[in-house]
Amino acid sequence: LPPPTALAVTLPPGFTDQVLPFTFDVPTCLAFLPDGRLLVAEKGGIVYVVKDSVRHALWVREEEVLNADDRGLVSIAVDPGFARNRFVYFLYSVDPDSNGIELDNYDDTFGRLARYQVSATDSNVVDESTRTILIGDTWGNGFPSPAGSHPVAGLEWGRDGSLLVGCGDGAHFEFMDAGGADPGAFGPGRTDPTEDIGSFRAQYLESLCGKILRVDPATGHGYPSNPYFDGDPASHRSRVWAYGLRNPFRFSRKPATGAPDPALGDPGTLYVGEVGWMTWEELCVADRPGMNFGWPCFEGVGPQPDYQAAAPAHHGCGSLATPSNPEPPAPPVVALHHLDPAASLPAGNRGGVMVGGCFYTGAGFPAAYVGRYFFGDYLRDWIKVLVTDAGDRLVEVQDFATGADGPVSLAVDPVSGDLLVAAIYTGKVHRIRYTGVVGAGIEPAARVRLSAARPNPSRGAVAFTLELPERARVEFAIHDVAGREVWRAAERDGYPGSTSLIWPGATAHGTMAAPGIYIARVAAGGQVHARRFALVQ
Protein backbone atom coordinates (compact mmCIF):
# COMPACT_ATOMS: atom_id res chain seq x y z
CA LEU A 1 0.00 0.00 0.00
CA PRO A 2 1.26 3.52 -0.69
CA PRO A 3 2.30 5.49 2.39
CA PRO A 4 -0.08 8.14 3.64
CA THR A 5 0.89 11.78 3.68
CA ALA A 6 3.31 12.42 6.55
CA LEU A 7 1.81 14.25 9.51
CA ALA A 8 3.30 15.87 12.57
CA VAL A 9 3.55 13.43 15.47
CA THR A 10 0.89 14.20 18.07
CA LEU A 11 1.77 13.20 21.64
CA PRO A 12 0.24 13.52 25.13
CA PRO A 13 0.94 16.74 27.07
CA GLY A 14 4.50 16.97 28.38
CA PHE A 15 6.05 14.88 25.59
CA THR A 16 8.21 16.23 22.76
CA ASP A 17 9.37 14.73 19.47
CA GLN A 18 12.93 15.27 18.27
CA VAL A 19 14.05 13.88 14.90
CA LEU A 20 17.59 12.55 14.49
CA PRO A 21 19.57 14.57 11.89
CA PHE A 22 19.72 11.74 9.36
CA THR A 23 17.50 10.25 6.69
CA PHE A 24 17.84 6.48 6.46
CA ASP A 25 17.02 4.36 3.43
CA VAL A 26 13.99 2.40 4.71
CA PRO A 27 14.91 1.94 8.39
CA THR A 28 13.57 -1.34 9.77
CA CYS A 29 14.99 -1.91 13.25
CA LEU A 30 16.57 -0.13 16.21
CA ALA A 31 18.79 -1.49 18.98
CA PHE A 32 21.05 0.06 21.59
CA LEU A 33 24.59 -0.73 22.65
CA PRO A 34 25.12 -0.63 26.44
CA ASP A 35 26.83 2.77 26.26
CA GLY A 36 23.78 4.37 24.65
CA ARG A 37 24.95 4.33 21.04
CA LEU A 38 22.07 3.57 18.69
CA LEU A 39 22.10 0.94 15.95
CA VAL A 40 19.82 1.57 12.96
CA ALA A 41 19.23 -1.15 10.37
CA GLU A 42 18.36 -0.31 6.79
CA LYS A 43 16.30 -2.79 4.81
CA GLY A 44 18.86 -2.88 2.00
CA GLY A 45 21.59 -4.38 4.19
CA ILE A 46 23.40 -1.64 6.13
CA VAL A 47 23.57 -1.14 9.91
CA TYR A 48 24.66 2.25 11.20
CA VAL A 49 25.96 3.11 14.66
CA VAL A 50 24.77 6.58 15.70
CA LYS A 51 26.09 8.85 18.42
CA ASP A 52 24.81 12.42 18.68
CA SER A 53 25.12 13.92 15.17
CA VAL A 54 27.58 11.35 13.79
CA ARG A 55 26.91 7.97 12.21
CA HIS A 56 29.19 5.20 10.97
CA ALA A 57 28.45 2.14 8.84
CA LEU A 58 28.87 -0.75 11.27
CA TRP A 59 27.94 -3.56 8.84
CA VAL A 60 27.47 -3.42 5.06
CA ARG A 61 26.16 -6.46 3.15
CA GLU A 62 24.01 -4.97 0.39
CA GLU A 63 25.00 -7.61 -2.14
CA GLU A 64 24.16 -10.49 0.19
CA VAL A 65 20.86 -9.06 1.46
CA LEU A 66 17.81 -9.37 -0.80
CA ASN A 67 15.94 -6.06 -0.68
CA ALA A 68 12.68 -6.86 -2.50
CA ASP A 69 9.04 -6.86 -1.40
CA ASP A 70 8.98 -7.39 2.40
CA ARG A 71 12.39 -9.02 2.33
CA GLY A 72 15.60 -7.42 3.49
CA LEU A 73 17.47 -6.81 6.73
CA VAL A 74 14.59 -6.77 9.21
CA SER A 75 16.05 -7.22 12.70
CA ILE A 76 19.21 -6.73 14.73
CA ALA A 77 20.09 -7.67 18.31
CA VAL A 78 22.87 -6.83 20.74
CA ASP A 79 24.08 -9.63 22.99
CA PRO A 80 23.25 -9.15 26.70
CA GLY A 81 26.92 -9.93 27.36
CA PHE A 82 28.14 -7.37 24.81
CA ALA A 83 30.53 -5.70 27.25
CA ARG A 84 32.32 -9.03 27.48
CA ASN A 85 31.89 -10.63 24.03
CA ARG A 86 31.02 -7.70 21.64
CA PHE A 87 28.48 -9.88 19.74
CA VAL A 88 25.78 -8.47 17.45
CA TYR A 89 23.22 -10.45 15.43
CA PHE A 90 21.55 -9.75 12.09
CA LEU A 91 18.41 -11.39 10.65
CA TYR A 92 17.79 -10.97 6.91
CA SER A 93 16.69 -12.43 3.59
CA VAL A 94 19.46 -13.68 1.31
CA ASP A 95 19.98 -12.70 -2.33
CA PRO A 96 20.63 -16.20 -3.73
CA ASP A 97 23.36 -15.14 -6.16
CA SER A 98 24.55 -12.16 -4.06
CA ASN A 99 25.54 -10.20 -7.16
CA GLY A 100 24.02 -6.95 -5.95
CA ILE A 101 21.21 -6.98 -8.53
CA GLU A 102 17.95 -7.36 -6.64
CA LEU A 103 15.53 -8.18 -9.44
CA ASP A 104 17.38 -10.90 -11.36
CA ASN A 105 16.81 -13.67 -8.82
CA TYR A 106 14.33 -12.64 -6.17
CA ASP A 107 11.21 -14.75 -6.58
CA ASP A 108 12.34 -17.55 -4.22
CA THR A 109 14.90 -17.37 -1.45
CA PHE A 110 15.60 -18.05 2.24
CA GLY A 111 16.42 -16.22 5.46
CA ARG A 112 19.61 -16.16 7.49
CA LEU A 113 20.70 -15.40 11.07
CA ALA A 114 24.33 -14.23 11.35
CA ARG A 115 26.54 -13.25 14.30
CA TYR A 116 29.57 -10.92 14.32
CA GLN A 117 31.90 -9.39 16.86
CA VAL A 118 32.38 -5.64 16.90
CA SER A 119 36.03 -4.88 16.30
CA ALA A 120 38.25 -4.72 19.38
CA THR A 121 40.13 -1.77 17.87
CA ASP A 122 37.28 0.19 16.24
CA SER A 123 33.92 0.00 18.01
CA ASN A 124 32.15 1.49 14.99
CA VAL A 125 32.64 -1.53 12.69
CA VAL A 126 32.30 -5.29 12.93
CA ASP A 127 35.25 -7.63 12.54
CA GLU A 128 34.35 -9.48 9.32
CA SER A 129 36.61 -12.40 10.24
CA THR A 130 34.27 -13.27 13.13
CA ARG A 131 31.25 -13.91 10.86
CA THR A 132 29.27 -16.97 12.03
CA ILE A 133 26.08 -18.20 10.34
CA LEU A 134 23.79 -19.61 13.04
CA ILE A 135 20.82 -20.47 10.80
CA GLY A 136 20.79 -20.44 7.01
CA ASP A 137 24.34 -21.27 5.96
CA THR A 138 22.67 -22.93 2.96
CA TRP A 139 19.22 -22.62 1.38
CA GLY A 140 18.07 -25.96 2.78
CA ASN A 141 19.05 -24.97 6.33
CA GLY A 142 17.55 -21.47 6.20
CA PHE A 143 14.16 -19.89 6.77
CA PRO A 144 12.03 -20.67 3.68
CA SER A 145 10.85 -17.58 1.79
CA PRO A 146 8.91 -18.73 -1.30
CA ALA A 147 6.79 -15.54 -1.46
CA GLY A 148 7.73 -11.89 -1.15
CA SER A 149 5.82 -11.45 2.10
CA HIS A 150 6.19 -12.72 5.67
CA PRO A 151 9.91 -13.50 5.72
CA VAL A 152 12.09 -13.49 8.85
CA ALA A 153 10.60 -11.11 11.39
CA GLY A 154 12.34 -10.37 14.70
CA LEU A 155 14.88 -11.07 17.46
CA GLU A 156 14.55 -10.90 21.25
CA TRP A 157 16.47 -12.15 24.27
CA GLY A 158 15.15 -14.59 26.85
CA ARG A 159 15.97 -14.00 30.48
CA ASP A 160 17.95 -17.26 30.32
CA GLY A 161 20.26 -15.92 27.59
CA SER A 162 18.43 -17.78 24.81
CA LEU A 163 17.91 -16.00 21.51
CA LEU A 164 14.28 -15.90 20.33
CA VAL A 165 13.92 -15.71 16.54
CA GLY A 166 10.68 -14.99 14.68
CA CYS A 167 9.76 -15.91 11.12
CA GLY A 168 6.55 -15.43 9.15
CA ASP A 169 4.78 -18.15 7.19
CA GLY A 170 6.56 -17.19 3.95
CA ALA A 171 3.23 -17.39 2.10
CA HIS A 172 1.44 -15.15 -0.36
CA PHE A 173 -0.82 -12.41 0.98
CA GLU A 174 -2.66 -11.75 -2.28
CA PHE A 175 -4.51 -15.07 -2.30
CA MET A 176 -5.28 -18.02 -0.05
CA ASP A 177 -2.00 -19.94 -0.19
CA ALA A 178 -2.20 -23.69 0.51
CA GLY A 179 0.96 -24.53 -1.45
CA GLY A 180 1.92 -25.19 -5.03
CA ALA A 181 2.35 -21.55 -6.06
CA ASP A 182 6.18 -21.44 -5.87
CA PRO A 183 7.67 -24.64 -7.34
CA GLY A 184 11.09 -23.02 -7.77
CA ALA A 185 11.55 -22.73 -4.01
CA PHE A 186 11.43 -26.46 -3.33
CA GLY A 187 13.59 -29.42 -4.33
CA PRO A 188 17.25 -30.49 -4.29
CA GLY A 189 19.48 -27.77 -2.88
CA ARG A 190 16.47 -25.72 -1.83
CA THR A 191 13.65 -26.08 0.70
CA ASP A 192 12.34 -29.58 1.41
CA PRO A 193 9.21 -30.17 -0.75
CA THR A 194 7.27 -31.30 2.33
CA GLU A 195 7.13 -27.60 3.23
CA ASP A 196 5.26 -26.67 0.04
CA ILE A 197 1.99 -26.11 1.93
CA GLY A 198 1.79 -22.31 1.91
CA SER A 199 0.45 -20.69 5.05
CA PHE A 200 0.00 -24.10 6.65
CA ARG A 201 3.75 -24.13 7.29
CA ALA A 202 2.76 -22.19 10.40
CA GLN A 203 1.05 -25.36 11.72
CA TYR A 204 3.86 -27.74 10.67
CA LEU A 205 6.45 -28.26 13.41
CA GLU A 206 9.03 -29.48 10.88
CA SER A 207 9.13 -26.00 9.30
CA LEU A 208 10.80 -22.84 10.66
CA CYS A 209 8.04 -20.70 9.09
CA GLY A 210 5.26 -19.17 11.16
CA LYS A 211 7.24 -19.72 14.35
CA ILE A 212 9.16 -18.16 17.19
CA LEU A 213 12.29 -20.21 17.76
CA ARG A 214 14.33 -20.47 20.97
CA VAL A 215 17.97 -21.13 20.14
CA ASP A 216 21.38 -21.13 21.75
CA PRO A 217 23.13 -17.96 20.49
CA ALA A 218 26.44 -19.85 20.46
CA THR A 219 25.26 -22.48 17.96
CA GLY A 220 21.81 -21.61 16.59
CA HIS A 221 20.59 -24.99 17.87
CA GLY A 222 17.51 -25.71 19.95
CA TYR A 223 17.64 -26.43 23.67
CA PRO A 224 16.67 -29.80 25.21
CA SER A 225 14.22 -27.77 27.33
CA ASN A 226 12.29 -26.67 24.22
CA PRO A 227 8.76 -28.10 24.00
CA TYR A 228 9.23 -30.11 20.79
CA PHE A 229 12.87 -31.16 21.19
CA ASP A 230 13.38 -34.46 19.35
CA GLY A 231 16.93 -35.32 20.40
CA ASP A 232 18.57 -33.51 17.47
CA PRO A 233 19.31 -29.90 18.48
CA ALA A 234 19.79 -28.93 14.81
CA SER A 235 16.33 -30.12 13.69
CA HIS A 236 13.62 -27.61 12.92
CA ARG A 237 11.16 -28.82 15.55
CA SER A 238 13.84 -28.84 18.27
CA ARG A 239 14.10 -25.06 17.89
CA VAL A 240 10.36 -24.26 18.02
CA TRP A 241 9.05 -22.27 20.99
CA ALA A 242 5.69 -21.02 19.62
CA TYR A 243 3.86 -21.59 16.33
CA GLY A 244 0.71 -20.81 14.34
CA LEU A 245 1.84 -17.25 13.47
CA ARG A 246 1.35 -15.44 10.18
CA ASN A 247 3.99 -12.76 10.65
CA PRO A 248 5.29 -12.12 14.20
CA PHE A 249 6.65 -8.71 13.28
CA ARG A 250 8.34 -7.70 16.52
CA PHE A 251 7.97 -9.31 19.92
CA SER A 252 9.29 -8.37 23.34
CA ARG A 253 9.89 -10.13 26.64
CA LYS A 254 7.91 -8.79 29.56
CA PRO A 255 10.29 -7.46 32.24
CA ALA A 256 10.92 -9.62 35.32
CA THR A 257 9.55 -12.76 33.65
CA GLY A 258 11.44 -15.97 32.97
CA ALA A 259 14.13 -17.94 34.76
CA PRO A 260 17.92 -17.47 34.38
CA ASP A 261 18.70 -21.19 33.87
CA PRO A 262 18.11 -22.28 30.24
CA ALA A 263 17.61 -25.88 31.40
CA LEU A 264 14.31 -24.78 32.99
CA GLY A 265 12.83 -23.85 29.61
CA ASP A 266 11.43 -20.49 30.77
CA PRO A 267 12.79 -17.57 28.72
CA GLY A 268 9.94 -15.31 29.87
CA THR A 269 6.57 -14.08 28.64
CA LEU A 270 6.54 -12.72 25.10
CA TYR A 271 4.18 -10.05 23.76
CA VAL A 272 3.92 -10.67 20.02
CA GLY A 273 2.74 -8.35 17.25
CA GLU A 274 0.97 -10.57 14.71
CA VAL A 275 0.36 -9.02 11.27
CA GLY A 276 -3.02 -10.15 9.99
CA TRP A 277 -4.49 -10.88 6.58
CA MET A 278 -7.53 -9.08 5.16
CA THR A 279 -9.52 -8.41 8.32
CA TRP A 280 -7.62 -8.57 11.64
CA GLU A 281 -4.45 -7.46 13.42
CA GLU A 282 -3.45 -9.17 16.66
CA LEU A 283 -1.34 -8.92 19.78
CA CYS A 284 -0.65 -12.33 21.30
CA VAL A 285 0.94 -13.39 24.58
CA ALA A 286 3.22 -16.44 24.67
CA ASP A 287 3.48 -17.21 28.38
CA ARG A 288 4.25 -20.93 28.24
CA PRO A 289 6.17 -23.31 25.98
CA GLY A 290 4.73 -24.67 22.75
CA MET A 291 1.76 -22.35 22.26
CA ASN A 292 -0.18 -22.43 18.97
CA PHE A 293 -1.78 -19.15 17.88
CA GLY A 294 -3.94 -20.77 15.23
CA TRP A 295 -2.94 -19.20 11.91
CA PRO A 296 -4.08 -19.90 9.22
CA CYS A 297 -7.06 -21.78 10.63
CA PHE A 298 -7.97 -19.02 13.08
CA GLU A 299 -7.55 -15.25 12.94
CA GLY A 300 -8.88 -12.45 15.09
CA VAL A 301 -11.80 -13.60 17.20
CA GLY A 302 -12.71 -16.78 15.30
CA PRO A 303 -12.08 -19.24 12.44
CA GLN A 304 -10.60 -18.07 9.14
CA PRO A 305 -13.16 -19.41 6.63
CA ASP A 306 -11.00 -19.46 3.47
CA TYR A 307 -8.25 -21.48 5.12
CA GLN A 308 -10.70 -23.68 7.03
CA ALA A 309 -11.98 -24.82 3.63
CA ALA A 310 -8.51 -25.35 2.13
CA ALA A 311 -6.94 -28.75 1.42
CA PRO A 312 -3.12 -28.57 1.70
CA ALA A 313 -1.03 -31.70 1.19
CA HIS A 314 -0.83 -32.08 4.97
CA HIS A 315 -1.27 -30.17 8.23
CA GLY A 316 -4.56 -28.57 7.28
CA CYS A 317 -7.06 -27.32 9.83
CA GLY A 318 -8.17 -30.88 10.55
CA SER A 319 -4.74 -31.59 12.04
CA LEU A 320 -5.21 -29.29 15.04
CA ALA A 321 -5.12 -31.01 18.44
CA THR A 322 -3.69 -34.22 16.94
CA PRO A 323 -0.37 -35.87 17.90
CA SER A 324 1.41 -34.12 15.01
CA ASN A 325 -0.05 -30.75 16.01
CA PRO A 326 -0.91 -31.04 19.70
CA GLU A 327 -1.66 -27.52 20.97
CA PRO A 328 -5.18 -26.09 20.62
CA PRO A 329 -5.17 -22.51 19.28
CA ALA A 330 -4.73 -19.71 21.83
CA PRO A 331 -6.77 -16.52 21.26
CA PRO A 332 -5.10 -13.11 20.93
CA VAL A 333 -5.16 -10.59 23.76
CA VAL A 334 -5.93 -7.78 21.31
CA ALA A 335 -7.70 -8.24 17.95
CA LEU A 336 -8.21 -5.10 15.86
CA HIS A 337 -10.61 -5.18 12.93
CA HIS A 338 -9.47 -3.38 9.76
CA LEU A 339 -12.80 -1.69 9.05
CA ASP A 340 -15.17 -1.91 12.02
CA PRO A 341 -13.82 -0.55 15.32
CA ALA A 342 -16.92 -1.84 17.11
CA ALA A 343 -15.90 -5.40 16.19
CA SER A 344 -12.40 -5.00 17.64
CA LEU A 345 -11.18 -6.31 20.97
CA PRO A 346 -11.09 -3.85 22.67
CA ALA A 347 -13.76 -2.01 20.73
CA GLY A 348 -13.08 1.47 19.39
CA ASN A 349 -9.74 0.71 17.69
CA ARG A 350 -8.90 -0.13 14.06
CA GLY A 351 -5.88 -2.03 12.80
CA GLY A 352 -3.92 -2.01 9.55
CA VAL A 353 -0.44 -3.52 9.94
CA MET A 354 0.43 -4.47 13.51
CA VAL A 355 3.92 -3.74 14.81
CA GLY A 356 4.92 -5.31 18.09
CA GLY A 357 6.83 -2.84 20.20
CA CYS A 358 8.64 -2.73 23.51
CA PHE A 359 8.07 -2.48 27.23
CA TYR A 360 9.01 0.87 28.69
CA THR A 361 11.85 0.16 31.12
CA GLY A 362 13.41 3.61 31.40
CA ALA A 363 13.23 6.27 34.11
CA GLY A 364 12.35 9.23 31.92
CA PHE A 365 8.59 8.78 31.51
CA PRO A 366 5.87 9.28 34.13
CA ALA A 367 5.19 6.31 36.39
CA ALA A 368 1.92 5.56 34.59
CA TYR A 369 3.95 4.35 31.59
CA VAL A 370 6.66 2.35 33.36
CA GLY A 371 6.39 -1.35 32.55
CA ARG A 372 3.70 -0.73 29.92
CA TYR A 373 3.86 -2.21 26.44
CA PHE A 374 4.13 0.32 23.59
CA PHE A 375 3.12 -0.97 20.16
CA GLY A 376 2.30 0.52 16.78
CA ASP A 377 0.52 0.18 13.48
CA TYR A 378 2.50 1.44 10.53
CA LEU A 379 -0.46 1.59 8.16
CA ARG A 380 -2.72 3.43 10.64
CA ASP A 381 0.26 5.55 11.71
CA TRP A 382 -0.28 5.33 15.47
CA ILE A 383 1.43 4.18 18.66
CA LYS A 384 -0.65 2.93 21.58
CA VAL A 385 -0.04 1.60 25.07
CA LEU A 386 -1.34 -1.81 26.14
CA VAL A 387 -2.39 -2.23 29.77
CA THR A 388 -2.72 -5.80 31.04
CA ASP A 389 -3.19 -7.26 34.51
CA ALA A 390 -0.81 -9.59 36.37
CA GLY A 391 -2.21 -12.53 34.41
CA ASP A 392 -1.54 -10.79 31.06
CA ARG A 393 -5.24 -10.28 30.46
CA LEU A 394 -6.42 -7.19 28.61
CA VAL A 395 -7.36 -4.19 30.75
CA GLU A 396 -7.33 -1.42 28.14
CA VAL A 397 -5.54 0.11 25.16
CA GLN A 398 -4.54 3.76 25.59
CA ASP A 399 -3.78 6.26 22.83
CA PHE A 400 -0.23 7.65 22.79
CA ALA A 401 0.88 8.99 19.39
CA THR A 402 -0.67 9.67 16.00
CA GLY A 403 0.96 10.81 12.77
CA ALA A 404 3.98 8.63 13.55
CA ASP A 405 5.14 8.33 9.90
CA GLY A 406 4.84 4.53 9.74
CA PRO A 407 6.41 3.19 12.96
CA VAL A 408 8.17 -0.17 12.46
CA SER A 409 10.54 -0.42 15.44
CA LEU A 410 10.46 0.96 18.99
CA ALA A 411 13.32 0.92 21.49
CA VAL A 412 14.08 2.51 24.87
CA ASP A 413 17.35 4.43 25.24
CA PRO A 414 19.13 2.79 28.21
CA VAL A 415 20.85 6.05 29.15
CA SER A 416 18.23 8.80 28.67
CA GLY A 417 15.04 6.75 29.00
CA ASP A 418 13.69 8.25 25.76
CA LEU A 419 11.56 6.19 23.37
CA LEU A 420 13.07 5.86 19.88
CA VAL A 421 10.85 5.13 16.89
CA ALA A 422 11.92 4.18 13.35
CA ALA A 423 9.54 5.70 10.77
CA ILE A 424 9.58 3.69 7.55
CA TYR A 425 7.65 6.25 5.47
CA THR A 426 10.02 9.17 6.00
CA GLY A 427 13.30 7.38 6.76
CA LYS A 428 13.54 9.27 10.03
CA VAL A 429 14.18 8.16 13.60
CA HIS A 430 12.09 9.98 16.23
CA ARG A 431 13.24 10.52 19.81
CA ILE A 432 10.22 10.91 22.09
CA ARG A 433 11.10 12.57 25.38
CA TYR A 434 9.09 13.57 28.43
CA THR A 435 9.93 17.12 29.49
CA GLY A 436 7.63 17.43 32.51
CA VAL A 437 8.41 16.58 36.11
CA VAL A 438 8.72 12.81 36.17
CA GLY A 439 8.23 12.46 39.90
CA ALA A 440 4.97 14.35 39.73
CA GLY A 441 3.42 11.75 37.44
CA ILE A 442 0.48 12.53 35.20
CA GLU A 443 -3.21 12.54 35.83
CA PRO A 444 -4.87 9.98 33.54
CA ALA A 445 -8.10 11.01 31.90
CA ALA A 446 -11.23 9.81 33.66
CA ARG A 447 -11.98 6.43 32.15
CA VAL A 448 -14.84 4.02 32.04
CA ARG A 449 -13.77 0.55 33.20
CA LEU A 450 -15.41 -2.79 32.57
CA SER A 451 -14.44 -5.90 34.55
CA ALA A 452 -13.84 -9.34 33.10
CA ALA A 453 -16.82 -11.67 32.82
CA ARG A 454 -17.72 -13.75 35.85
CA PRO A 455 -17.99 -16.63 35.90
CA ASN A 456 -15.97 -17.48 32.83
CA PRO A 457 -16.79 -19.97 31.45
CA SER A 458 -20.44 -19.84 32.47
CA ARG A 459 -23.35 -22.25 32.24
CA GLY A 460 -25.92 -19.45 32.33
CA ALA A 461 -25.94 -15.86 33.52
CA VAL A 462 -22.79 -13.72 33.21
CA ALA A 463 -22.06 -10.58 35.26
CA PHE A 464 -19.76 -7.58 34.74
CA THR A 465 -18.87 -4.62 36.91
CA LEU A 466 -18.99 -1.23 35.20
CA GLU A 467 -17.16 1.72 36.79
CA LEU A 468 -18.16 5.22 35.68
CA PRO A 469 -16.30 8.43 36.56
CA GLU A 470 -19.45 10.48 35.92
CA ARG A 471 -23.06 10.09 34.86
CA ALA A 472 -23.40 8.56 31.39
CA ARG A 473 -25.84 6.77 29.12
CA VAL A 474 -25.04 3.02 29.13
CA GLU A 475 -25.51 0.60 26.23
CA PHE A 476 -24.97 -3.11 26.95
CA ALA A 477 -25.15 -5.86 24.30
CA ILE A 478 -23.91 -9.41 23.67
CA HIS A 479 -22.51 -10.49 20.28
CA ASP A 480 -21.30 -13.81 18.90
CA VAL A 481 -17.80 -14.14 17.42
CA ALA A 482 -19.15 -13.35 13.93
CA GLY A 483 -20.27 -9.95 15.23
CA ARG A 484 -24.01 -10.69 15.22
CA GLU A 485 -25.99 -9.18 18.06
CA VAL A 486 -27.48 -11.90 20.27
CA TRP A 487 -29.08 -9.81 23.04
CA ARG A 488 -29.33 -6.17 24.06
CA ALA A 489 -30.32 -4.53 27.33
CA ALA A 490 -32.50 -1.45 27.43
CA GLU A 491 -30.44 1.74 27.48
CA ARG A 492 -30.26 3.41 30.87
CA ASP A 493 -28.46 6.10 32.79
CA GLY A 494 -25.41 5.07 34.77
CA TYR A 495 -24.13 7.01 37.76
CA PRO A 496 -20.61 7.59 39.17
CA GLY A 497 -19.20 4.53 40.89
CA SER A 498 -19.69 0.80 40.34
CA THR A 499 -22.75 -0.90 38.93
CA SER A 500 -23.52 -4.47 37.83
CA LEU A 501 -24.44 -5.50 34.30
CA ILE A 502 -25.95 -8.97 33.95
CA TRP A 503 -26.68 -11.04 30.87
CA PRO A 504 -29.14 -13.85 31.66
CA GLY A 505 -27.57 -16.18 29.08
CA ALA A 506 -30.54 -15.80 26.73
CA THR A 507 -31.07 -14.56 23.18
CA ALA A 508 -33.25 -11.62 22.22
CA HIS A 509 -36.08 -14.15 21.63
CA GLY A 510 -35.90 -15.43 25.20
CA THR A 511 -34.36 -18.82 24.40
CA MET A 512 -31.13 -19.98 26.02
CA ALA A 513 -28.05 -19.06 24.01
CA ALA A 514 -26.06 -21.91 22.44
CA PRO A 515 -22.67 -22.85 23.92
CA GLY A 516 -19.81 -20.89 22.35
CA ILE A 517 -17.65 -17.77 22.55
CA TYR A 518 -19.43 -14.45 23.09
CA ILE A 519 -18.38 -10.82 23.36
CA ALA A 520 -19.95 -8.30 25.73
CA ARG A 521 -19.84 -4.72 24.41
CA VAL A 522 -20.52 -1.76 26.65
CA ALA A 523 -20.67 1.86 25.45
CA ALA A 524 -20.69 4.67 27.99
CA GLY A 525 -19.22 8.15 28.28
CA GLY A 526 -17.92 8.13 24.71
CA GLN A 527 -15.91 4.96 25.32
CA VAL A 528 -16.52 1.40 24.12
CA HIS A 529 -15.26 -1.68 25.97
CA ALA A 530 -15.49 -5.37 25.08
CA ARG A 531 -14.92 -8.56 27.06
CA ARG A 532 -14.84 -12.08 25.65
CA PHE A 533 -16.17 -15.10 27.54
CA ALA A 534 -17.38 -18.65 26.99
CA LEU A 535 -20.81 -20.21 27.50
CA VAL A 536 -20.73 -23.98 28.07
CA GLN A 537 -23.37 -26.66 28.54
Side-chain angles (χ1 to χ4, degrees), residues 116 141 167 232 242 337 451:
Y116 291 77
N141 294 328
C167 183
D232 177 7
H337 198 279
S451 73

Side-chain angles (χ1 to χ4, degrees), residues 458-460 478-481 486 503 505-507 511-518 533-537:
S458 173
R459 297 183 183 276
I478 303 296
H479 296 251
D480 63 18
V481 292
V486 174
W503 177 49
T507 68
T511 59
M512 292 303 297
I517 304 297
Y518 292 89
F533 62 93
L535 194 66
V536 297
Q537 291 181 335

Side-chain angles (χ1 to χ4, degrees), residues 165-187:
V165 188
C167 183
D169 64 6
H172 289 268
F173 70 89
E174 65 272 28
F175 55 82
M176 189 280 293
D177 187 354
D182 303 281
F186 304 94

